[in-house]
Amino acid sequence: KCVSGAKESGRYKIKNDTGTPGKNISESRRNINDKFFDDIKFITALLSFPVFQVTVKEKQVEQIYILEDHKNKDALGRGALLPSGEFVVYAGSLSRRKETNSFKGSGPRLRKKLLEEEVVKIRDQSSYVFSRNYTFKSPSAAGDAISGRSTNGWTAWKDKDGKTLDDNLRSK
């Protein structure tokens, strides 16, 4: 159940998916295991490790936001703000390969991690492409990953009418 739950969430790449089918477990033992798994899900979420929290699919959200690099034309992200405050970037989004010289700290490390974990793959000389949906801790972290520079995600992500996240959610 742990392996299938982690796979279903789509948040992480599963390296060891050996699990037990559970066919030979008594009903009472299965109930104990299910309770234990519920406790594990609660504890991991409480500790900010959303291993089993399913990523919201693009068709399930009300508002899609776009982040486009108008100057360089090598970044075009599509994503949505989750009720948790996290921001999901959807598969197929383009991320700029080149980083600005002033881009320091956790942003470049996160982009390196995304490449190592094959969340993004090289598309061409100027862009990466997201191979799967990925949930970031904030709109700004998502914006940094897309643009290769520090961004204010609340003003960088815009809806189809050109309104920012800030306009739609915080300035009301």
Side-chain angles (χ1 to χ4, degrees):
K1 203 167 187 180
C2 279
V3 172
S4 62
K7 280 182 178 178
E8 183 182 324
S9 78
R11 287 178 172 258
Y12 302 96
K13 184 176 182 178
I14 308 300
K15 292 184 178 181
N16 180 359
D17 63 356
T18 304
T20 57
K23 294 176 186 172
N24 299 325
I25 299 175
S26 69
E27 187 172 337
S28 63
R29 178 51 95 182
R30 188 180 317 276
N31 289 339
I32 291 168
N33 287 352
D34 287 348
K35 172 67 173 113
F36 180 73
F37 181 62
D38 289 342
D39 291 345
I40 294 295
K41 288 193 301 188
F42 175 75
I43 291 167
T44 55
L46 183 67
L47 296 173
S48 298
F49 293 103
V51 177
F52 305 107
Q53 184 180 343
V54 177
T55 301
V56 178
K57 297 192 178 9
E58 195 167 349
K59 295 174 186 173
Q60 297 173 308
V61 297
E62 264 182 52
Q63 188 70 268
I64 298 292
Y65 287 90
I66 306 293
L67 191 155
E68 185 173 6
D69 186 335
H70 294 286
K71 181 180 175 186
N72 298 302
K73 304 288 184 199
D74 50 9
L76 180 60
R78 292 178 53 81
L81 185 67
L82 304 179
S84 63
E86 297 171 304
F87 195 91
V88 61
V89 171
Y90 292 112
S93 292
L94 299 180
S95 172
R96 184 171 192 237
R97 283 183 69 179
K98 187 174 181 180
E99 296 176 355
T100 62
N101 293 334
S102 61
F103 192 42
K104 308 282 185 219
S106 61
R109 287 192 301 273
L110 177 57
R111 285 171 51 94
K112 183 179 179 188
K113 176 185 164 202
L114 295 175
L115 193 56
E116 288 170 353
E117 293 180 1
E118 298 181 343
V119 173
V120 295
K121 296 181 177 181
I122 295 173
R123 176 178 178 252
D124 55 34
Q125 289 181 328
S126 60
S127 299
Y128 296 120
V129 63
F130 276 73
S131 61
R132 60 185 165 95
N133 298 349
Y134 187 84
T135 304
F136 292 87
K137 291 190 183 285
S138 69
S140 294
D144 293 357
I146 293 289
S147 62
R149 61 182 171 81
S150 294
T151 62
N152 176 343
W154 287 94
T155 57
W157 291 96
K158 297 180 180 176
D159 67 14
K160 63 181 177 9
D161 299 321
K163 288 188 162 191
T164 67
L165 273 169
D166 191 61
D167 293 337
N168 289 335
L169 301 172
R170 297 201 302 193
S171 296
K172 286 186 173 185

